[in-house]
Amino acid sequence: EAGVTQFPSHSVIEKGQTVTLRCDPISGHDNLYWYRRVMGKEIKFLLHFVKESKQDESGMPNNRFLAERTGGTYSTLKVQPAELEDSGVYFCASSPTGRGAGANVLTFGAGSRLTVL
Amino acid sequence: DQQVKQNSPSLSVQEGRISILNCDYTNSMFDYFLWYKKYPAEGPTFLISISSIKDKNEDGRFTVFLNKSAKHLSLHIVPSQPGDSAVYFCAASARDSGGYQKVTFGTGTKLQVIP
């Protein structure tokens, strides 16, 4: 079974530019999450999709961040325009369908490291 | 406001000894607790979990203890092995308004097991 795949693994951009991160979850996982870790800090929740719908986007920092999940499959996270404080590692995770206890065992991708100069 | 706290950023343990990683939480609505392990340049991987109705769960060398009254959990690794060297994240989940699980993570503790 393929795991969670994220692309790119590392992106270096200048302040004001746009970056789009992509996540392919495990096939059949309806729950898809985006998290971010800034150096040395917690892995912070950004948002949660159930299929193509945004279930919870309370962690999105501001309106420079836009997440989509086309057809309930892969997801993209766009940052536009990027600021210095957006630097960090963006993790995508997926979990099995439903609301049961198994749904909180998240499978993570390797992360996309974003460096904004 | 950090709801899951790992106050020790790092821990060094001799191979073969016990590693104890600690975690405190503030949200009494958390009903499931998990530990994840992370190697450099990889995503966190699930290690072990415990339901809030239990106080102990064991899986091989790994045991998680939960003290609900103290809002504290710990992960014990016995015996510790060099391959256990990684960052360990404590996590807790609670249901959101739609009934879905929302998982909150701590800052991590970097464990180094010395051969």
Side-chain angles (χ1 to χ4, degrees):
Chain A
E1 178 185 72
V4 177
T5 305
Q6 291 189 246
F7 182 82
S9 57
H10 192 188
S11 182
V12 182
I13 61 173
E14 296 198 346
K15 175 183 170 181
Q17 290 187 318
T18 298
V19 64
T20 300
L21 311 177
R22 172 173 170 141
C23 169
D24 287 83
I26 290 174
S27 177
H29 279 191
D30 285 348
N31 293 304
L32 186 150
Y33 301 82
W34 283 98
Y35 284 83
R36 176 174 72 178
R37 187 180 191 217
V38 175
M39 177 94 69
K41 304 218 170 175
E42 76 270 29
I43 300 174
K44 192 164 184 177
F45 170 84
L46 296 179
L47 90 159
H48 169 208
F49 283 100
V50 177
K51 297 184 180 178
E52 68 277 5
S53 300
K54 291 176 187 173
Q55 167 61 25
D56 181 353
E57 54 183 330
S58 61
M60 294 288 264
N62 50 60
N63 59 11
R64 295 185 294 102
F65 289 75
L66 175 64
E68 295 179 323
R69 190 178 182 192
T70 308
T73 55
Y74 71 92
S75 175
T76 57
L77 179 64
K78 180 192 284 189
V79 185
Q80 178 183 33
E83 297 288 345
L84 298 179
E85 64 265 25
D86 301 333
S87 295
V89 181
Y90 290 77
F91 290 106
C92 176
S94 68
S95 71
T97 303
R99 297 175 170 86
N104 60 23
V105 179
L106 308 182
T107 301
F108 280 83
S112 291
R113 179 176 295 277
L114 174 63
T115 303
V116 183
L117 303 176
Chain B
D1 176 34
Q2 211 167 321
Q3 300 183 55
V4 178
K5 300 176 185 177
Q6 295 178 258
N7 293 317
S8 298
S10 62
L11 174 69
S12 287
V13 170
Q14 207 71 34
E15 180 179 3
R17 306 293 290 267
I18 184 172
S19 296
I20 300 177
L21 295 93
N22 293 301
C23 177
D24 298 291
Y25 63 94
T26 57
N27 187 348
S28 57
M29 299 304 292
F30 287 141
D31 59 3
Y32 220 78
F33 302 90
L34 311 97
W35 285 93
Y36 281 78
K37 175 179 178 179
K38 184 186 176 307
Y39 292 117
E42 295 183 10
T45 56
F46 170 72
L47 187 59
I48 190 170
S49 63
I50 187 168
S51 164
S52 60
I53 62 173
K54 296 187 175 182
D55 55 18
K56 177 182 175 181
N57 187 29
E58 190 172 350
D59 183 3
R61 297 185 296 112
F62 302 91
T63 303
V64 57
F65 294 92
L66 175 62
N67 182 335
K68 280 187 67 176
S69 61
K71 291 191 172 70
H72 178 84
L73 66 155
S74 60
L75 174 68
H76 292 210
I77 306 173
V78 181
S80 300
Q81 299 173 354
D84 296 330
S85 297
V87 178
Y88 289 79
F89 288 94
C90 174
S93 72
R95 293 191 182 276
D96 65 15
S97 58
Y100 289 92
Q101 300 284 346
K102 181 174 182 178
V103 183
T104 303
F105 286 82
T107 53
T109 296
K110 185 174 183 179
L111 172 66
Q112 182 184 22
V113 180
I114 304 164

